Amino acid sequence: MFQGKTRTAAWIGLGLYTVLTLFFLFVGFNRSSALPETGLRYNLAFDGIPLHFPGGGYSNLWVFNLGNYLAFVPFGLVIPLLIRCRFLPFLLVFLAAITGGELIQMVTHLGSFDINDIVINTLGAVVGYGAQRLIRRGRTTPRGVLKLLSSGVLLTLLVYSAVSGINYYLDHGRGEIRALDQLPLEHGEVRWEQELHSFTMAQEQIEPAINLYSPDHPGLHEFSLRLDGQYKELAGNFGVPDDAIPAKGSGTSSVMISADGEEIYSLDVNIAPGENQPLSFQVSVEGKQELTLTVKTDAADPRTHAVLWDLTLVEANTGQKLAARLQRLLGGK
């Protein structure tokens, strides 16, 4: 532990740093004018540790999240060298303090109570605590202080890389691809073509490779499948075959994709020779419980029909499924 003048200097430095941190938490970033009173703001849904590799056009958010983490590393690094404390008491006291700060931000309308901020702030303090525990001897000497800083940098890089890698896996990882006709029906009726015959669309040869669906009657057709939050993305193709359009055909055909009772995507094609271009789509269905496809054909000739082909679902990977389950347990959507 720090002793003598070093201890006094450390206390003064920690005090000034704490004041600076409180300034940025409650006053900095123009909070008083940027956040007018609109009621209590809070987020109780845990969305994961917000540490990601930089990139993707979110540089400002990346800097903010990194600062939210790094700002609290010194507390874990210095406090145990001033006050003898074991890890669990340190963690509990820090959690109480940072939670109190988030509550004050909320009730004073100078910010919001965010469970994700508490997690990332606490992670920073824990990394700082772990860094000072790596150096067991000579920690109060100038060389020892340099070792403490080096251990903090090293542990931060390791933890940051690990968390960023996990987040990348959770955000961008993909599980297996499953054909839509393999899922049991929840509502409605659908008959998948037994033979994947080819057809033309706007004179383009189409060769279905996975499945093919055509409503067995014109007008409106709808069916639903159960997803149970196990999938990330729906993909497929939609259009009206050339041989399904009479010489003077007209009108439109559309497919509407809904999830959990809410429309999330729709496509429309013209029913006219030469104008019926095939359309492809990719739709996020992450966390959705039920998927509904509605095919509507508005044409004077009853022979006109649309088709859907190569409809697939991308499964969430194991980590994404566990994260979704955890989020539901913690009250997330």
Side-chain angles (χ1 to χ4, degrees), residues 290-306:
E290 186 176 271
L291 175 71
T292 301
L293 275 74
T294 304
V295 182
K296 182 179 180 181
T297 302
D298 180 14
D301 195 303
R303 295 171 296 175
T304 304
H305 65 275

Side-chain angles (χ1 to χ4, degrees), residues 118-195:
I118 294 176
V119 171
I120 193 172
N121 297 160
T122 304
L123 178 63
V126 168
V127 167
Y129 187 96
Q132 60 85 25
R133 296 295 292 174
L134 291 176
I135 309 300
R136 305 296 296 179
R137 297 180 179 178
R139 295 187 294 182
T140 60
T141 65
R143 186 176 181 180
V145 171
L146 183 60
K147 288 182 178 180
L148 285 172
L149 295 176
S150 299
S151 67
V153 171
L154 177 61
L155 197 56
T156 290
L157 290 175
L158 291 175
V159 171
Y160 188 88
S161 296
V163 173
S164 297
I166 292 171
N167 282 334
Y168 187 87
Y169 169 73
L170 294 176
D171 292 341
H172 303 287
R174 297 163 66 90
E176 295 182 2
I177 296 177
R178 189 172 180 182
L180 203 68
D181 53 311
Q182 296 178 4
L183 272 68
L185 277 177
E186 182 79 6
H187 301 291
E189 182 180 355
V190 56
R191 294 180 182 177
W192 298 94
E193 298 288 347
Q194 297 298 315
E195 297 183 4

Side-chain angles (χ1 to χ4, degrees), residues 47-91:
D47 299 323
I49 302 172
L51 288 179
H52 296 79
F53 293 121
Y58 298 99
S59 58
N60 290 338
L61 183 60
W62 172 75
V63 171
F64 177 80
N65 288 332
L66 179 61
N68 236 354
Y69 163 78
L70 291 177
F72 291 87
V73 172
F75 290 102
L77 196 63
V78 176
I79 289 176
L81 297 176
L82 292 171
I83 304 172
R84 194 178 301 277
C85 56
R86 296 185 180 274
F87 174 70
L88 186 57
F90 168 80
L91 178 62

